[in-house]
Amino acid sequence: MDEAVETAMRLFHARGYDAVGVAELGAELGIKPPSFYAAFGSKAGLFERTLRRYAAGEANVFARALAGGGDVATVIGRTLALAAELYPSQEGTAGCLVLDGARNSADPEAQALADAAKREGRAAVRDFIAAEAPDRADALADLVVVAMMGMSAAARDGADRERLGRVAAMMDRAFRREMSGA
């Protein structure tokens, strides 16, 4: 099952939820539709598993940055730098699956799953910021999340590590200014 989720994650990340059909997923996984539905319940059920796997792995740049320790500004700066490294195209995928995998999806269940994952990620960032800046945590979390959304979209449009690295460095400086209240 782990290999199936990895395969689906690669497909959803590369092309988006709506562009990947059940027939293609079944063919890639080597199973027929009845077995697919028995294993995952639905395409959205498989997407939910891929989002969980993605967020639990190396792609969770905030968790990786947090593991490195430091104060809020240091961790947020590291988060932005890691996103700038990860988001450019890697093996046919670019951007962030959580931020872009169901963008403009016609499937309300897939959109709801992606939205929940985004809210969870934003809440983790906000809660961490609140330890040092409780009155500004929401606004600062928005700054970080919107910057990451923009970097993800830019990566999907072809921005490379150098370009995203410059953006991450500027956003790091902006975040530090905002943290200090300047």
Side-chain angles (χ1 to χ4, degrees):
M1 206 58 71
D2 287 345
E3 187 176 316
V5 172
E6 291 290 331
T7 298
M9 185 168 59
R10 178 181 45 80
L11 292 169
F12 288 138
H13 193 181
R15 297 203 328 266
Y17 180 85
D18 285 357
V20 179
V22 171
E24 179 182 6
L25 286 165
E28 287 285 330
L29 303 178
I31 59 176
K32 299 208 178 302
S35 298
F36 175 89
Y37 290 109
F40 305 110
S42 65
K43 179 179 158 185
L46 178 57
F47 185 60
E48 181 177 20
R49 289 184 189 190
T50 65
L51 289 172
R52 283 197 312 257
R53 170 71 58 81
Y54 187 83
E58 290 294 306
N60 187 333
V61 293
F62 177 66
R64 287 174 51 203
L66 195 55
D71 63 6
V72 167
T74 299
V75 170
I76 295 302
R78 191 180 305 125
T79 299
L80 294 165
L82 286 168
E85 283 179 33
L86 180 70
Y87 289 175
S89 183
Q90 298 175 34
E91 299 177 26
T93 62
C96 174
L97 175 64
V98 171
L99 297 174
D100 290 317
R103 182 173 307 284
N104 300 320
S105 177
D107 184 324
E109 187 176 1
Q111 190 65 54
L113 291 166
D115 289 347
K118 289 177 207 176
R119 282 191 306 274
E120 186 177 313
R122 184 194 176 282
V125 170
R126 181 202 59 230
D127 292 350
F128 178 69
I129 293 169
E132 289 182 29
D135 295 341
R136 306 195 64 225
D138 275 317
L140 290 168
D142 285 341
L143 178 69
V144 173
V145 171
V146 170
M148 292 178 69
M149 291 169 73
M151 290 189 339
S152 179
R156 290 185 78 77
D157 286 342
D160 61 16
R161 282 185 176 90
E162 182 180 339
R163 184 175 176 194
L164 293 182
R166 286 192 306 266
V167 170
M170 287 187 282
M171 289 309 300
D172 180 21
R173 290 189 299 273
F175 182 84
R176 289 174 185 274
R177 276 192 308 274
E178 290 298 320
M179 270 293 287
S180 70

